[in-house]
Amino acid sequence: MFNNMSQKAPEKRKICIIGAGASGLMAAVCAARAGAADVLVLEKCDEPGRKLAATGNGKCNLSNLKCADWQNALEVFSGIGLMTRTDSEGRIYPYSEDARDVVSLLVRAAEKAGAEIRTGAVAAGIERAGEGFRISVKRTDSIRTKAGKRRAYKLVEEAWNAADTEYIEAEKVLIATGGKSYPVYGTTGDGYVFARKLGHTVARLRPSLTTVETAENVKALGLSGVRAKGEASLYRNGTMIASERGEIQFTDRGISGICVFDLTREMALEPGRGFGDFRISIDLVPDMSPERLEVYLADGRAEEYTERESLCSLIKAPVADVIAGRKLSDRSSAEQIKSFELTPVGLGGWERAQVTAGGVDLGEIDPKTMESRLIPGLYFSGEVTDYDGPCGGFNLQNAWMTGIKAGRAMAE
């Protein structure tokens, strides 16, 4: 399927897309289908769409009915043969609920329209060359290894230094390299380096939609692995700044779950400050008023139920043990149920984050075409730009629409 790159002299191309992820593949499809006769996609991994194939636990939450342009994205997908289904909360999935099918259809559509996808080709640098661009590329065939992690890093560095550099000269370039989240899939922040060297501003990068690590030893409390539905609220210096309902998952080091992920979008640290400004409060019975809860617990005491017995009919037993045993607070059980407090001390790193917050300044990009306002012929799409949306398909929708815009604009 994918061609080897053996040319020694600079290779001339009309359009070069760096990155065969969600936005890069969509851009290739749209550019080629719009009539661009010479589209090349460079992908550093040994197959395209590796991160895309893993999204949504492999189900691929494509978009959401709450997204502004969801119909436009689905129109493109329908045109390449993808059927979709929508759940009760407005999340849109491929009908098969298999992300690999989305990757396969995008790759097939791009190649059928005439685009070339070249894997194992790492873009090592981009520079201006006349009215176009010169891209230095290194092959990764000799870099792959099954050695132990520490030894593998050394082998990669040695192979990289010894590898020959080849060059591609392109009239137009799209940087669709993704962010820094899930680096195991090849997203290691390359695009930010390219953007800075070409004169673009890159907003501060941080992990987003990720886990929260807490000062409280959740594992020692016996909560690790427990899932509880509730409403999680984020406070900064005593003021609530965000609140989300959903399932909270207790981990060995803190809490996780979609509603927790969404809260992390608001946990940007101010220069010189840590997480001490933040606090998370979980309402374990958000549909029950404090007054109704007090009556319920009083009725239990009147019936001579133990406090733990009364709590276990409301909340999971391990959480009831913590509350009834006053293991976290001396406050009453009712107060703790309505405000189960945890102290953030950190966020899950790039390995756990679903997306990257920060990126190439959107003010330096034409939103209609995704072309740089600073450098004609240079385009950006997807996670490399300064956009991070909530869970539920918003980030993939951004990838699709920026890819669509960039692909069609490059074809003109």
Side-chain angles (χ1 to χ4, degrees):
M1 181 186 293
F2 307 110
N3 298 327
N4 291 324
M5 187 168 61
S6 57
Q7 297 94 335
K8 296 299 180 183
E11 182 181 355
K12 307 285 188 178
R13 307 299 294 238
K14 293 285 187 181
I15 296 172
C16 183
I17 297 171
I18 302 176
S23 71
L25 287 173
M26 179 60 86
V29 169
C30 291
R33 287 168 68 96
D38 185 14
V39 179
L40 171 66
V41 184
L42 300 178
E43 170 55 47
K44 65 157 61 171
C45 295
D46 54 4
E47 58 184 343
R50 288 188 62 195
K51 182 178 177 181
L52 175 58
T55 58
N57 292 321
K59 293 172 61 177
C60 195
N61 184 183
L62 291 167
S63 186
N64 195 300
L65 296 183
K66 297 177 183 177
C67 295
D69 296 322
W70 65 269
Q71 299 99 325
N72 294 333
L74 260 60
E75 182 179 354
V76 176
F77 278 118
S78 176
I80 64 174
L82 182 71
M83 295 285 290
T84 61
R85 67 171 79 205
T86 304
D87 70 10
S88 60
E89 296 185 22
R91 293 180 293 239
I92 303 170
Y93 295 89
Y95 204 85
S96 66
E97 295 192 344
D98 192 332
R100 294 170 297 181
D101 294 335
V102 180
V103 176
S104 296
L105 277 172
L106 286 169
V107 170
R108 180 178 179 275
E111 294 185 327
K112 185 178 179 181
E116 177 187 352
I117 302 173
R118 191 174 291 171
T119 58
V122 181
I126 308 172
E127 59 185 4
R128 297 296 303 275
E131 296 184 357
F133 304 87
R134 185 179 176 90
I135 306 147
S136 55
V137 183
K138 293 205 175 194
R139 292 296 301 186
T140 60
D141 297 36
S142 61
I143 297 177
R144 301 186 197 116
T145 175
K146 295 183 179 180
K149 183 178 290 186
R150 190 168 297 176
R151 175 61 179 153
Y153 288 146
K154 183 173 178 59
L155 289 174
V156 167
E157 183 179 4
E158 291 172 351
W160 177 268
N161 291 336
D164 291 333
T165 301
E166 299 173 346
Y167 297 93
I168 295 172
E169 293 182 353
E171 295 179 12
K172 297 179 181 179
V173 169
L174 168 63
I175 296 178
T177 51
K180 293 186 68 176
S181 63
Y182 290 134
V184 67
Y185 297 121
T187 48
T188 52
D190 306 347
Y192 305 123
V193 177
F194 300 150
R196 286 192 183 101
K197 289 185 176 179
L198 288 166
H200 271 274
T201 304
V202 176
R204 183 183 178 187
L205 308 173
R206 62 180 179 85
S208 185
L209 302 187
T210 187
T211 57
V212 174
E213 298 174 359
T214 63
E216 295 76 16
N217 191 329
V218 175
K219 186 175 183 180
L221 290 169
L223 297 179
S224 182
V226 174
R227 296 169 180 255
K229 290 186 177 180
E231 183 171 348
S233 299
L234 178 68
Y235 289 80
R236 172 183 273 161
N237 296 322
T239 301
M240 188 178 75
I241 59 174
S243 185
E244 294 283 343
R245 285 197 183 196
E247 185 178 72
I248 295 95
Q249 302 170 21
F250 292 90
T251 68
D252 286 351
R253 302 175 65 179
I255 52 176
S256 180
I258 291 176
C259 61
V260 174
F261 291 165
D262 282 338
L263 292 184
T264 64
R265 297 181 61 229
E266 307 297 331
M267 296 181 72
L269 298 181
E270 296 178 6
R273 302 187 68 90
F275 288 92
D277 295 342
F278 295 103
R279 177 175 61 84
I280 289 178
S281 174
I282 301 172
D283 185 344
L284 294 165
V285 288
D287 296 320
M288 183 179 288
S289 70
E291 295 76 17
R292 176 70 186 90
L293 177 59
E294 289 284 8
V295 170
Y296 172 82
L297 294 176
D299 288 345
R301 288 191 292 271
E303 295 293 330
E304 298 186 348
Y305 288 117
T306 66
E307 189 170 37
R308 182 186 182 281
E309 288 173 335
S310 293
L311 295 180
C312 282
S313 65
L314 287 175
I315 57 180
K316 297 292 180 68
V319 185
D321 287 336
V322 172
I323 291 176
R326 302 295 189 266
K327 295 180 180 180
L328 278 182
S329 172
D330 291 332
R331 296 180 303 148
S332 71
S333 293
E335 290 175 320
Q336 291 189 71
I337 289 173
K338 294 299 289 182
S339 181
F340 189 85
E341 295 187 348
L342 295 169
T343 309
V345 294
L347 298 178
W350 296 116
E351 294 79 9
R352 295 185 180 92
Q354 292 187 21
V355 298
T356 304
V360 180
D361 187 344
L362 291 172
E364 299 174 356
I365 301 171
D366 184 335
K368 295 180 180 179
T369 64
M370 302 311 294
E371 185 175 17
S372 165
R373 296 185 189 273
L374 310 181
I375 305 173
L378 178 66
Y379 297 77
F380 297 94
S381 69
E383 194 177 340
V384 74
T385 64
D386 186 9
Y387 171 87
D388 64 293
C391 293
F394 291 84
N395 291 287
L396 271 182
Q397 171 69 18
N398 179 64
W400 308 135
M401 288 311 303
T402 55
I404 290 169
K405 292 175 183 178
R408 289 173 176 171
M410 289 189 296
E412 293 180 355

